[in-house]
Amino acid sequence: MSGGTSGGTVASAVGIVSSLSTNELLELRSNANYAVPEAEASNMSTSIAMTFDQDFQAWQGPHPMETPNTRIVHRTKWLLGYGTDFSYSEGMRCSSYAAALAVTAGMSAMAVSMWLPPSRWLVQSAIPPGSGPSDEAIKSGHFNIEIIGASHPDDNGVQHKARAIVKGVQDPGYGESSKMISESAICLALDRAKFATPGATGSLKTLIGGVATTASSMGMLLVNRLRAAGMTFDTAGFTFAVGGRNKAKLEAVLARAASRSGVTSITPPIIIADSDDQDSLDKMVAQARVVLTTVGPYAKYGWKLVDACVRIRTDYVDLTGEPHFVRGVAEKYHEQAVKNDVLIVPSCGFDSIPADIGAFLIANHFASKGFKTSSIKYSLTSIWGSFSGGTIATISEHIRSQPISELRAASNNANYAVPESGVVVRPKSVILEYDKDFGAWQSLNPAETGDTRIVRRSDWLLGYGPDFTYSEGLRCSNYLFAVGCCVGLAVAFSLLFFPPTRWLIQKIVPPGTGPSDKTIKSGHFTVELVGYSAFDDNGVQHKARAIVKGVQDPGYGETAKMISESAICLALDRAKFATPGATGSLKTLTGGAATTASSMGMLLVNRLRAAGMTFDTAGFTFALGGRNKAKLEAVLARAASRSGVTSITPPIIIADSDDQDSLDKMVAQARVVLTTVGPYAKYGWKLVDACVRIRTDYVDLTGEPHFVRGVAEKYHEQAVKNDVLIVPSCGFDSIPADIGAFLIANHFASKGFKTSSIKYSLVAISTGISGGTIASGAELIKALPLSELRALNSNANYLTPESGVVVRPKSVILEYDKDFGAWQSLNPAETGDTRIVRRSDWLLGYGPDFTYSEGLRCSNYLFAVGCCVGLAVAFSLLFFPPTRWLIQKIVPPGTGPSDKTIKSGHFTVELVGYSAFDDNGVQHKARAIVKGVRDAFYGETAKMISESAICLALDRAKFATPGATGSFKTPTGGVVPPAAAMGMLLVNRLRAAGMTLDVADL
């Protein structure tokens, strides 16, 4: 620890000593439960005077913060229930016995000086309140804490042990303390809605009210914030140990790893254990959360280790590609592993994560839309790597040790790794065929047997779909190459089948040999998978594609990554497994002989993505649809030119807004349809109809209230029933208004308040004129009879026909607003925005008698009058057919601002909201700011609708997680505005895309 002395801390210590009686001070010092008066039971404090600690392997002296820290920890224990007879102690690590003696003497002298009034006065005079370290001392300060814990003995009499590290990189009492209290406050302010989500704060059920502690209230949510702020909170660093028979060889492995990593040394604990010595394995396993083993062949060396993990309840991962070992483990241990809530996860490398997780991505995608999966095909598109002696040894052992009958059983039964099913399924093996989905010849993939059996086990555990099929192939450039691959693989397997040639191959490539570092780094692989859903209620079969890529040798570089991330996922993310949607749309296991997909799902996908691998189902859901292929290609060419890339070549789908059959075919291929084809009242109906029927989510840019009302009247109930989201107005009309109002209402709801009113002010805007916007406005006026225009203008609930309630809008024409401190005039987007916000209120329930209004901020009264007159003239010109025709000729649909204007544009919106009166008669006030840094109708609108579509495509599985979209329960189907559909998930995406969306109390 390095830091300065704080006068405030000294004053606090003096205040404790001077204000408490001797008996109270003795009670404070002797009772670890002093801060738990509710417990009504004292707990003898386990204070450290001076001792040598075997766990820390160092002398410890007394810690000056031991008294308050211990009492806080004991209160947390009382609130969370750490364990019966729990004890906690603190010490200050010392370099030697003499140093510990000096620390003990110094602490004793400090205690005496605080006790006696004269010396107490002298200390306070020397270090008065308000004094503290310099900025330089604050920046150069730091601290490092190590904590070791022991569990109660488990059912097998084994006591488990864990270690945690906490580090700060500034003065502990100033730099890091300011960080810790600030993040604690921010956590309470922003994360409150997540507290009730199972697992969000950790495995222990934290409080949502009471006199708590940081751990018992915020738990892992605060840990994550402090980590993001630069502090270290680590329990993983010290769960890493290396185990094996030979200490010298293990040390040599660590030395090589250090050399390759560019560090001086890597010195984890070394545990001596032998795959044939059950007692040594039991002792090793008892010290771990997860065992990662690369000791193969597993059928020869793996059984006793699996046995230990199942009994001692330690999760397990391996690299096996041996189907008979996976089958045997499932037969022998699955039921017991389920009972013990322990995960035995084989095949966590190139065998078989690309296949297993790739297939899972497609099945999970279909499940998120309510569909079962019918079939998935895998194509190994490209691969570059080297042979592994270990892999050859494993294949050789598999052939040598298994009778011909067992090898035939493995080859002829796709359910070979699912012995519990009792069903034999003929595998759909690819030998030599042309595949239309991949547009290429495919030959036999050498990993097909192992991969297929793992994927089939995932299907059996997760339930991809009835009569599900899976097949694999090796992509070939032409027919002759495919024939050559088939012949080559047949020869290779034949050579391994006969003992003399098998012995020779193992001599040439013995176990332990592998590629050079250069080869590992230059290796790569790409896998493409295509899947089909079962037919839906409308007789439509949906199609999806996934891509899995690695950027190093598949058997070494990427396999090391895959198995490591699998182990880390089990070690660190276990608490999230029970959170609905965390692992995906399919319910994964928390115990059993599982697979990577059926245990970790999306949690592992996210870790592997972060580690540099590609797992993508989104890249191939992007396609471009329209009537004219040449025009679509021209659009893509312009997009490529603006993006600075050579080309953008997504699939092009020909579809016509007036041709229902073409729209149905297009919609059936998508998760989300994003349409910019307006006016929507003219061109949008058949597309919405297709999306509702086929259950494909939909987003648009409409600013046409009559279209939204019609869609709500006609499709809302069916969309709710089909669990499909029809989300209109995802651009400047009306995300700033809708999401801005949501931010305030959500803020109030997180504190338990209803919302009474929200006001919107368009503070600043710089934008070009859009021909499409003018066309939509003109179509609205032309298409609606005067009576309907009056109904639209006079009813704030116009977009909530289901409510049956007419609410007079609170329109701003010309007024001075005290909250904004400025004159406001009519905002031209007010009619559409207000009706969208009112629909969100109707769906989410912002508050009874909720009101919403909009205005255009003006610099003075005369400017406000000018705006009102200008807008009245503009609307009048659009109202009369001759002038409407002329305006549309001057600014026809398709025209818009230049690239320069788009880039230089911007907008700022400010909203102020009031809560309903609380139980104490207090009305709370909050402010939200929404900003965009490009043209509102082009640059930022493109961002808003794109992120809305991406949110629906990628975040759908999170919608059901309590708190994920905010403090309100958002619908998962219906005709729903952006705020009511996606809430905070969309807010977070828009923030990441460069927009400002902030809310704070006033």
Side-chain angles (χ1 to χ4, degrees):
M1 184 172 82
S2 172
T5 307
S6 162
T9 302
V10 171
S12 294
V14 167
I16 293 170
V17 174
S18 59
S19 64
L20 296 181
S21 67
T22 302
N23 286 339
E24 286 175 315
L25 286 170
L26 289 171
E27 167 68 7
L28 167 60
R29 282 292 301 139
S30 63
N31 181 12
N33 270 357
Y34 184 81
V36 194
E38 306 95 327
E40 298 179 354
S42 62
N43 187 330
M44 191 65 182
S45 178
T46 52
S47 301
I48 291 174
M50 188 175 76
T51 185
F52 184 84
D53 191 286
Q54 294 291 340
D55 285 310
F56 298 124
Q57 285 294 297
W59 282 94
Q60 299 251 93
H63 189 294
M65 294 297 293
E66 180 268 339
T67 298
N69 284 350
T70 299
R71 279 60 183 168
I72 288 291
V73 171
H74 269 275
R75 182 162 185 85
T76 299
K77 172 262 175 184
W78 179 74
L79 291 165
L80 298 183
Y82 287 169
T84 54
D85 305 321
F86 171 80
S87 67
Y88 176 84
S89 62
E90 284 194 4
M92 181 178 285
R93 182 133 353 145
C94 301
S95 57
S96 64
Y97 171 77
L101 194 61
V103 166
T104 304
M107 289 295 298
S108 300
M110 178 60 74
V112 171
S113 68
M114 286 290 185
W115 197 279
L116 302 174
S119 53
R120 193 161 65 223
W121 173 84
L122 184 63
V123 170
Q124 280 197 281
S125 297
I127 312 170
S131 62
S134 65
D135 286 356
E136 185 179 345
I138 291 172
K139 289 177 182 175
S140 63
H142 61 85
F143 71 86
N144 193 346
I145 294 169
E146 184 178 359
I147 302 167
I148 290 179
S151 73
H152 277 288
D154 63 16
D155 296 342
N156 298 301
V158 177
Q159 190 174 37
H160 302 263
K161 198 172 173 184
R163 189 180 310 254
I165 298 292
V166 182
K167 289 183 185 178
V169 293
Q170 296 181 87
D171 179 284
Y174 280 78
E176 296 303 293
S177 276
S178 63
K179 190 183 291 179
M180 289 185 268
I181 193 169
S182 299
E183 292 297 337
S184 299
I186 291 168
C187 188
L188 288 173
L190 302 186
D191 297 339
R192 256 291 206 165
K194 302 176 185 174
F195 284 22
T197 304
T201 53
S203 300
L204 298 160
K205 192 176 188 310
T206 51
L207 281 69
I208 56 171
V211 180
T213 59
T214 51
S216 64
S217 56
M218 296 171 273
M220 289 306 299
L221 290 170
L222 180 57
V223 169
N224 293 336
R225 284 195 169 273
L226 291 171
R227 283 172 174 162
M231 291 184 70
T232 298
F233 284 84
D234 193 5
T235 53
F238 283 83
T239 58
F240 164 46
V242 178
R245 290 182 300 174
N246 188 309
K247 186 177 182 182
K249 286 185 178 180
L250 294 171
E251 288 171 342
V253 167
L254 292 170
R256 285 200 305 275
S259 174
R260 287 175 173 177
S261 305
V263 298
T264 308
S265 63
I266 300 174
T267 55
I270 289 176
I271 301 170
I272 302 303
D274 190 315
S275 64
D276 200 40
D277 181 348
Q278 191 70 64
D279 185 57
S280 71
L281 293 175
D282 287 0
K283 288 176 182 176
M284 178 185 73
V285 167
Q287 298 176 62
R289 273 184 273 186
V290 183
V291 167
L292 181 165
T293 174
T294 61
V295 181
Y298 292 90
K300 190 173 183 180
Y301 300 115
W303 291 103
K304 291 184 177 180
L305 182 57
V306 170
D307 184 84
C309 287
V310 173
R311 283 187 291 103
I312 298 169
R313 302 183 183 185
T314 294
D315 292 338
Y316 163 103
V317 296
D318 71 26
L319 291 177
T320 188
E322 305 158 56
H324 60 299
F325 177 71
V326 177
R327 177 184 173 92
V329 167
E331 281 180 316
K332 190 172 182 181
Y333 293 109
H334 179 67
E335 286 188 15
Q336 190 60 43
V338 170
K339 184 179 176 183
N340 288 1
D341 202 40
V342 60
L343 284 164
I344 305 300
V345 188
S347 307
C348 296
F350 189 67
D351 294 326
S352 295
I353 278 182
D356 191 35
I357 292 292
F360 169 82
L361 281 174
I362 290 176
N364 183 66
H365 164 64
F366 286 146
S368 71
K369 301 177 74 174
F371 307 140
K372 291 291 187 179
T373 302
S374 172
S375 66
I376 295 173
K377 298 184 289 187
Y378 161 119
S379 177
L380 182 54
T381 306
S382 65
I383 187 168
W384 183 256
S386 183
F387 287 106
S388 159
T391 300
I392 289 171
T394 296
I395 297 169
S396 298
E397 178 64 21
H398 174 56
I399 293 169
R400 185 193 66 78
S401 63
Q402 299 298 303
I404 295 291
S405 59
E406 193 65 24
L407 290 173
R408 281 204 191 99
S411 184
N412 294 334
N413 182 10
N415 269 4
Y416 182 76
V418 193
E420 304 97 325
S421 71
V423 177
V424 174
V425 175
R426 185 77 182 168
K428 194 179 178 184
S429 299
V430 172
I431 306 298
L432 181 67
E433 68 178 41
Y434 183 84
D435 191 288
K436 290 181 180 179
D437 284 308
F438 298 125
W441 281 93
Q442 300 249 96
S443 78
L444 180 68
N445 181 31
E448 180 269 340
T449 301
D451 284 351
T452 299
R453 280 58 181 170
I454 289 290
V455 172
R456 293 288 304 187
R457 185 162 184 86
S458 291
D459 160 51
W460 181 73
L461 291 165
L462 297 179
Y464 290 167
D467 305 318
F468 170 76
T469 63
Y470 175 84
S471 62
E472 285 197 2
L474 176 66
R475 177 121 15 133
C476 300
S477 54
N478 54 53
Y479 173 74
L480 289 176
F481 186 69
V483 171
C485 285
C486 287
V487 172
L489 284 169
V491 170
F493 278 113
S494 298
L495 292 173
L496 284 170
F497 214 89
F498 296 104
T501 48
R502 186 166 66 230
W503 173 85
L504 182 62
I505 291 169
Q506 287 192 275
K507 281 293 179 185
I508 296 169
V509 191
T513 59
S516 65
D517 286 357
K518 184 179 178 181
T519 303
I520 291 172
K521 289 176 182 175
S522 65
H524 61 83
F525 74 86
T526 300
V527 169
E528 183 180 357
L529 302 98
V530 170
Y532 287 86
S533 74
F535 288 93
D536 66 16
D537 296 341
N538 298 300
V540 176
Q541 189 174 37
H542 302 262
K543 186 176 173 184
R545 189 179 309 257
I547 299 290
V548 181
K549 289 184 184 178
V551 293
Q552 296 181 87
D553 179 283
Y556 279 79
E558 296 305 293
T559 282
K561 191 182 290 181
M562 288 185 267
I563 193 170
S564 299
E565 293 297 337
S566 298
I568 292 167
C569 189
L570 289 174
L572 301 186
D573 297 339
R574 257 292 207 162
K576 301 175 187 175
F577 284 23
T579 305
T583 54
S585 299
L586 299 159
K587 192 175 188 309
T588 51
L589 281 70
T590 59
T595 59
T596 51
S598 63
S599 57
M600 296 170 272
M602 289 307 298
L603 290 170
L604 179 58
V605 170
N606 293 336
R607 285 196 168 273
L608 291 171
R609 284 171 173 163
M613 291 185 71
T614 298
F615 285 85
D616 194 6
T617 52
F620 282 83
T621 59
F622 164 47
L624 204 61
R627 290 181 301 175
N628 188 308
K629 187 176 180 182
K631 286 185 177 180
L632 294 172
E633 287 171 342
V635 167
L636 291 169
R638 286 200 303 275
S641 174
R642 288 175 174 177
S643 305
V645 297
T646 307
S647 63
I648 301 173
T649 55
I652 288 177
I653 301 170
I654 302 303
D656 191 316
S657 63
D658 200 41
D659 180 350
Q660 191 70 66
D661 185 58
S662 70
L663 292 174
D664 286 0
K665 288 176 181 174
M666 177 185 74
V667 167
Q669 298 178 61
R671 272 184 273 189
V672 182
V673 166
L674 181 164
T675 174
T676 61
V677 181
Y680 292 89
K682 191 173 182 180
Y683 300 115
W685 290 102
K686 290 184 177 180
L687 182 58
V688 170
D689 184 84
C691 288
V692 172
R693 282 186 292 103
I694 297 169
R695 303 183 183 184
T696 294
D697 293 336
Y698 163 103
V699 296
D700 71 26
L701 293 176
T702 187
E704 305 158 52
H706 61 302
F707 175 69
V708 180
R709 178 185 173 94
V711 169
E713 284 180 317
K714 189 172 182 180
Y715 294 109
H716 180 68
E717 285 188 15
Q718 190 60 42
V720 170
K721 184 180 175 183
N722 287 2
D723 202 40
V724 61
L725 284 164
I726 305 299
V727 188
S729 307
C730 293
F732 190 69
D733 293 326
S734 295
I735 276 183
D738 191 36
I739 292 290
F742 169 82
L743 281 173
I744 290 176
N746 184 65
H747 174 66
F748 285 146
S750 71
K751 303 172 81 171
F753 308 139
K754 291 289 187 180
T755 302
S756 172
S757 65
I758 295 173
K759 298 184 289 187
Y760 162 118
S761 177
L762 181 54
V763 179
I765 186 167
S766 174
T767 184
I769 298 171
S770 162
T773 301
I774 289 172
S776 292
E779 180 66 21
L780 168 65
I781 292 167
K782 186 180 77 169
L784 291 184
L786 197 56
S787 59
E788 191 66 20
L789 287 171
R790 283 200 190 100
L792 161 61
N793 196 48
S794 61
N795 182 11
N797 270 4
Y798 182 79
L799 297 189
T800 318
E802 304 96 328
S803 70
V805 177
V806 175
V807 174
R808 185 75 185 168
K810 193 178 179 184
S811 300
V812 173
I813 305 297
L814 181 68
E815 68 177 39
Y816 183 84
D817 192 288
K818 291 181 180 179
D819 285 309
F820 298 126
W823 281 94
Q824 298 250 97
S825 78
L826 180 68
N827 181 31
E830 180 269 341
T831 301
D833 284 351
T834 298
R835 279 62 180 170
I836 286 288
V837 172
R838 293 287 305 186
R839 186 163 182 88
S840 287
D841 160 52
W842 179 71
L843 290 162
L844 299 180
Y846 289 166
D849 306 318
F850 169 75
T851 64
Y852 176 83
S853 61
E854 284 196 4
L856 176 66
R857 179 122 11 136
C858 301
S859 54
N860 54 53
Y861 173 74
L862 289 176
F863 186 67
V865 171
C867 285
C868 286
V869 172
L871 284 168
V873 170
F875 279 116
S876 299
L877 291 173
L878 283 172
F879 213 88
F880 295 104
T883 49
R884 185 166 66 230
W885 174 86
L886 183 63
I887 290 168
Q888 287 191 275
K889 281 293 180 185
I890 296 169
V891 191
T895 59
S898 65
D899 287 358
K900 184 178 178 182
T901 303
I902 291 172
K903 288 176 183 175
S904 63
H906 61 83
F907 73 86
T908 299
V909 169
E910 182 181 356
L911 302 98
V912 170
Y914 288 84
S915 73
F917 290 93
D918 65 17
D919 295 339
N920 298 305
V922 177
Q923 189 174 36
H924 302 265
K925 190 175 174 183
R927 187 184 309 263
I929 299 290
V930 182
K931 287 185 185 178
V933 293
R934 296 195 296 173
D935 180 280
F937 292 102
Y938 280 78
E940 296 305 289
T941 283
K943 189 183 292 179
M944 289 184 267
I945 193 170
S946 299
E947 292 298 336
S948 299
I950 291 167
C951 189
L952 288 173
L954 301 186
D955 297 338
R956 256 291 206 166
K958 301 175 186 175
F959 284 21
T961 305
T965 53
S967 300
F968 296 104
K969 190 176 189 309
T970 50
T972 59
V975 179
V976 185
M982 295 168 275
M984 289 307 298
L985 290 170
L986 179 56
V987 169
N988 293 335
R989 284 195 170 273
L990 292 172
R991 284 172 174 162
M995 289 185 67
T996 298
L997 296 129
D998 288 335
V999 64
D1001 283 315
L1002 282 175

